[in-house]
Amino acid sequence: MSDALKHECGIALVRLLKPLEYYKEKYGTAFYGVNKMYLMMEKQHNRGQDGAGFASIKLDVNPGERYISRVRSNAAQPIQDIFAQINERINLEFKNHPEYKDDVAAQKKNIPYIGELFLGHVRYGTFGINSVENVHPFLRQNNWMHRNLIIAGNFNMTNTNELFDNLIKLGMHPKEKADTVTVMERIGHFLDDAVRKLYKKAKAKGMNKQEASPYIAENLNVAKILRKSASNWDGGYAMAGLLGHGDAFVLRDPAGIRPAYYYQDEEVIVVASERPAIQTVFNVPFEEVKELEPGNAIIIEKDGSMKLSEILAPLERRSCSFERIYFSRGSDAEIYQERKMLGKLIMPKILEAIKYDTENSVFSFIPNTAETSFYGMLEAAQDELNKQKNEAILKEKESLTPERLQQIQAHKIRTEKIAIKDVKLRTFITDDSSRDDLVAHVYDVTYGVVKPDDNLVIIDDSIVRGTTLKKSILKMLDRLHPKQIVVVSSAPQIRYPDCYGIDMARLEHLVAFQAALELHKDRGTYAIVEEIYHKCKEQVEMEDVSVINHVKKLYAPFSDEEISDKIAEIISDVDIKAKVKLIFQSVDDLHKACPKNLGDWYFTGNYPTAGGNRVVNRAYINFYEGNPERAY
């Protein structure tokens, strides 16, 4: 994608179902789980490269033995850094104690990170906060084994302030207001409460504290704890947690905004944000990896049994379409076909823009995630070319010569690798003018393949801010001297901020929003900008369920094409000689391509949770007041 966006995050949970000796005998190492976690995290590094964390739990250890290990990193290559630390520690133990090499029991007792239960996380720092303290998994410690809680998730809550205030009402004193902390403390509160109640029952049965511990572990109702904890969450989430004694869970939000997949066999239970990660790491077919249903939790008990529990009543399914367009791995079988379909469905608009002149048009893509949509676009272009050939042959059938037939058949769709990203360039210079010059050279182009009378068609997966297009890509493409540059977005116009985990918080940064403002100026209707502000302000104290997204009124007077043309005007510098045309996917065609993932709030403003409308109105108020703060 031409504009850098950041998304949080990716999770991986692995539960080994056999004794560690089994993996040592079958796979040659008792560190089978650690090795699989490394692969699971690496196969999801597309979801986060600012930080990574790993936690493990050993089951059935003796008192006084360490049973929880955790390591986190915000280094330049955090996954590699984590596992370098883990390997260094393991190798040091083997060096100092060579007798451990074939003694699995000694390894489990004395070496950290080995265990039966693992949780991993990769993240992007969503708004400039990327200290190691912000890296998951988070740990809530307690001397009671059952009350130790490890949390990691791919999520963002829209009502963090409300959640924080509720913790205060419960008599707690959270160390900060971040949604991860508030979520963990809320789960922790109800976990503590459940443990206390079970202890009272155990005591009533005549058990002492030591005898009560296994009773609590056996009878703890994780589903009930989650129902109480999540009752007032508003956001998109796939939340994973480990309890110190060995229970584990993964909970998905009731609208299915954030993804979660799982697989189980006789050796392992695994959960991840990406289906291909599970397929590849455990070598299993597509159909054996299941999707966790919205509002449901996978609950893995200490004995290794797994069940699915409905925690929250599912809402209308509004799974994030941006996951499919851009963030998720394109190697997923469904996502690959969806991205190809996005390219196919937008081809009619492209043909109109180039006046069906496929002979004098060059097709390409902006690396790398748009490549699959490009293939779909090409299939549709080839269909059009075949149609043109058939029409030419039928039209000239009475006078057709072998030479003319060969000429018709020789016509091919022209595709070239046009835009090439120079991965060695980094925008590390902080001076604005120097930075702009550097950004302009992040992409290079292939010279000599475009003629002056050509249309140059470039497909991108989405256009958010338009910055890289304006400062780099269009200038580079114009050096090829095409007649027209047609920039195609396989996603619709991004008009509204996200509040569920993708770093698009400020309206004024969205080029579609800028285009709407300019259109109102052009038409003398700019007074609506203040009207919308006052309507948003009137709702500030209202309950979320009653709030209306008034920002929709800004876009209502304009067609998609009018906004697209204004965006083209905004991103085209005066020194661009070629005509610039922008084409965006329609929302209807997006839904056709991704029928199971209808979360389209970026494009329509139809937020799947009540908190979304409050966030978009707050974002508008911040824009109008010149307030740079995030809206959530």
Side-chain angles (χ1 to χ4, degrees):
M1 185 159 71
S2 58
D3 291 323
L5 276 185
K6 294 191 173 183
H7 171 280
E8 61 167 9
C9 304
I11 57 171
L13 185 150
V14 172
R15 170 64 155 89
L16 303 183
L17 299 176
K18 301 283 189 182
L20 294 180
E21 288 79 6
Y22 172 91
Y23 304 95
K24 169 70 172 173
E25 182 176 344
K26 183 172 181 179
Y27 299 106
T29 176
F31 291 88
Y32 173 83
V34 177
N35 293 338
K36 290 297 186 185
M37 280 300 299
Y38 168 70
L39 292 171
M40 288 293 293
M41 292 170 70
E42 278 288 10
K43 292 298 179 183
Q44 296 185 104
H45 77 270
N46 54 297
R47 305 187 72 86
Q49 297 170 37
D50 287 345
F54 168 100
S56 64
I57 289 180
K58 306 173 192 280
L59 302 181
D60 301 314
V61 301
N62 296 318
E65 295 177 2
R66 182 178 178 182
Y67 59 97
I68 294 177
S69 298
R70 180 178 64 146
V71 58
R72 298 179 294 171
S73 173
N74 63 344
Q77 295 182 309
I79 299 173
Q80 293 90 326
D81 183 49
I82 281 171
F83 286 92
Q85 293 181 52
I86 291 172
N87 287 332
E88 184 179 0
R89 179 63 187 276
I90 292 170
N91 290 334
L92 179 63
E93 293 290 341
F94 280 139
K95 180 180 178 182
N96 293 337
H97 300 279
E99 68 275 14
Y100 292 170
K101 185 177 180 182
D102 295 311
D103 188 341
V104 175
Q107 290 176 21
K108 179 174 174 178
K109 180 178 179 179
N110 298 291
I111 301 178
Y113 309 116
I114 192 172
E116 293 89 356
L117 184 56
F118 306 90
L119 180 60
H121 189 264
V122 293
R123 81 184 291 266
Y124 278 120
T126 46
F127 42 100
I129 299 175
N130 196 38
S131 75
V132 74
E133 291 303 314
N134 296 101
V135 177
H136 300 200
F138 278 39
L139 172 61
R140 189 177 190 263
Q141 292 180 289
N142 194 284
N143 280 334
W144 284 52
M145 182 178 279
H146 336 78
R147 291 164 72 170
N148 282 286
L149 175 64
I150 304 170
I151 289 288
N154 169 22
F155 69 96
N156 198 78
M157 300 298 175
T158 71
N159 61 336
T160 301
N161 290 337
E162 178 191 338
L163 297 175
F164 182 83
D165 292 341
N166 287 338
L167 292 178
I168 303 302
K169 291 174 184 176
L170 291 170
M172 303 179 71
H173 190 90
K175 63 180 181 179
E176 58 179 289
K177 200 179 270 192
D179 55 3
T180 308
V181 172
T182 54
V183 163
M184 182 175 67
E185 291 299 339
R186 187 166 175 84
I187 297 172
H189 168 79
F190 289 109
L191 173 61
D192 290 347
D193 188 53
V195 169
R196 278 193 297 267
K197 289 176 179 176
L198 284 170
Y199 173 63
K200 285 183 180 179
K201 288 183 179 180
K203 191 175 179 181
K205 293 176 182 287
M207 300 180 197
N208 61 34
K209 291 182 178 179
Q210 187 173 354
E211 293 168 335
S213 193
Y215 172 83
I216 293 170
E218 188 176 337
N219 290 280
L220 203 59
N221 188 333
V222 175
K224 188 175 181 180
I225 292 168
L226 292 176
R227 287 188 189 101
K228 291 181 176 180
S229 303
S231 61
N232 63 345
W233 290 353
D234 187 290
Y237 50 86
M239 190 84 60
L242 315 179
L243 305 185
H245 66 279
D247 283 357
F249 65 86
V250 177
L251 171 62
R252 191 179 184 196
D253 68 85
I257 295 170
R258 298 272 79 94
Y261 299 89
Y262 67 95
Y263 166 76
Q264 179 185 22
D265 60 23
E266 71 280 358
E267 294 183 353
V268 68
I269 298 169
V270 57
V271 189
S273 297
E274 298 271 5
R275 176 165 39 203
I278 300 175
Q279 288 184 255
T280 300
V281 173
F282 291 91
N283 191 27
V284 294
F286 174 93
E287 59 273 9
E288 290 189 21
V289 181
K290 309 298 182 185
E291 183 176 4
L292 178 60
E293 291 299 315
N296 278 246
I298 295 168
I299 295 173
I300 307 166
E301 297 189 355
K302 179 181 176 294
D303 63 6
S305 60
M306 186 190 91
K307 62 182 178 181
L308 300 174
S309 295
E310 184 178 294
I311 304 303
L312 298 166
L315 302 173
E316 179 185 358
R317 184 187 171 99
R318 300 289 297 282
S319 302
C320 174
S321 55
F322 230 138
E323 294 272 0
R324 321 297 282 188
I325 296 168
Y326 174 59
F327 290 112
S328 295
R329 293 182 79 85
S331 54
D332 183 289
E334 283 186 347
I335 291 172
Y336 183 81
Q337 294 303 325
E338 289 167 4
R339 289 182 181 174
K340 281 187 71 176
M341 184 57 68
L342 287 168
K344 273 188 178 181
L345 290 174
I346 205 166
M347 193 62 196
K349 290 184 180 180
I350 298 171
L351 290 170
E352 287 181 19
I354 63 174
K355 296 182 170 55
Y356 295 85
D357 185 6
T358 55
E359 189 168 354
N360 294 300
S361 297
V362 176
F363 296 86
S364 191
F365 62 93
I366 299 174
N368 282 326
T369 51
E371 186 173 3
T372 307
S373 296
F374 171 72
Y375 293 140
M377 181 180 75
L378 279 189
E379 287 185 8
Q382 190 60 54
D383 291 343
E384 170 61 24
L385 180 58
N386 291 340
K387 179 184 173 185
Q388 291 179 6
K389 289 179 179 180
N390 289 340
E391 289 174 351
I393 291 169
L394 290 172
K395 184 179 180 180
E396 301 177 33
K397 63 181 180 180
E398 301 299 334
S399 59
L400 198 62
T401 64
E403 292 77 15
R404 175 57 181 153
L405 180 62
Q406 179 63 33
Q407 185 182 28
I408 293 171
Q409 295 288 14
H411 183 188
K412 292 181 172 59
I413 295 296
R414 295 166 59 198
T415 64
E416 302 290 350
K417 180 84 168 181
I418 295 291
I420 304 162
K421 192 168 187 179
D422 191 338
V423 296
K424 295 180 182 178
L425 286 175
R426 296 287 185 268
T427 52
F428 57 86
I429 299 174
T430 55
D431 174 71
D432 287 343
S433 59
S434 299
R435 179 186 291 275
D436 287 351
D437 182 60
L438 195 58
V439 167
H441 292 86
V442 168
Y443 283 89
D444 205 348
V445 288
T446 304
Y447 293 95
V449 294
V450 176
K451 305 191 303 291
D453 55 349
D454 280 339
N455 300 294
L456 178 53
V457 180
I458 296 278
I459 191 166
D460 196 352
D461 42 48
S462 56
I463 298 167
V464 184
R465 303 178 183 99
T467 308
T468 311
L469 272 174
K470 180 173 185 174
K471 294 185 176 180
S472 175
I473 294 172
L474 285 178
K475 291 180 179 179
M476 289 287 187
L477 298 180
D478 196 52
R479 292 177 188 174
L480 301 177
H481 308 298
K483 174 179 65 178
Q484 178 180 218
I485 301 170
V486 181
V487 180
V488 183
S489 169
S490 68
Q493 296 163 3
I494 296 170
R495 301 179 172 189
Y496 303 93
D498 181 63
C499 52
Y500 305 117
I502 294 173
D503 193 16
M504 292 190 295
R506 294 177 62 181
L507 270 169
E508 63 268 29
H509 287 172
L510 306 179
V511 70
F513 182 80
Q514 297 167 23
L517 293 177
E518 291 299 317
L519 285 168
H520 280 295
K521 288 179 183 177
D522 294 346
R523 295 189 180 184
T525 55
Y526 200 74
I528 196 174
V529 175
E530 184 175 354
E531 292 172 20
I532 294 171
Y533 167 71
H534 289 302
K535 287 192 174 293
C536 291
K537 289 286 282 187
E538 289 168 5
Q539 297 188 110
V540 167
E541 301 301 326
M542 292 172 61
E543 294 288 329
D544 284 356
V545 292
S546 303
V547 174
I548 296 169
N549 178 0
H550 285 296
V551 183
K552 288 184 178 183
K553 294 180 176 66
L554 189 79
Y555 299 100
F558 312 121
S559 68
D560 291 352
E561 289 71 24
E562 286 173 320
I563 292 175
S564 296
D565 290 345
K566 180 56 72 172
I567 294 173
E569 193 178 307
I570 289 172
I571 65 173
S572 300
D573 278 351
V574 291
D575 56 347
I576 300 286
K577 294 180 176 59
K579 178 185 176 184
V580 177
K581 174 74 174 175
L582 252 63
I583 297 174
F584 288 86
Q585 189 76 257
S586 71
V587 174
D588 287 345
D589 282 345
L590 170 67
H591 291 169
K592 288 178 187 174
C594 308
K596 298 179 186 176
N597 294 67
L598 302 178
D600 60 6
W601 57 92
Y602 314 88
F603 321 116
T604 64
N606 298 328
Y607 288 88
T609 73
N613 289 336
R614 172 176 44 79
V615 168
V616 68
N617 287 347
R618 169 50 63 185
Y620 190 89
I621 291 169
N622 288 350
F623 145 73
Y624 190 86
E625 295 178 349
N627 182 351
E629 290 183 4
R630 294 171 66 87
Y632 56 90

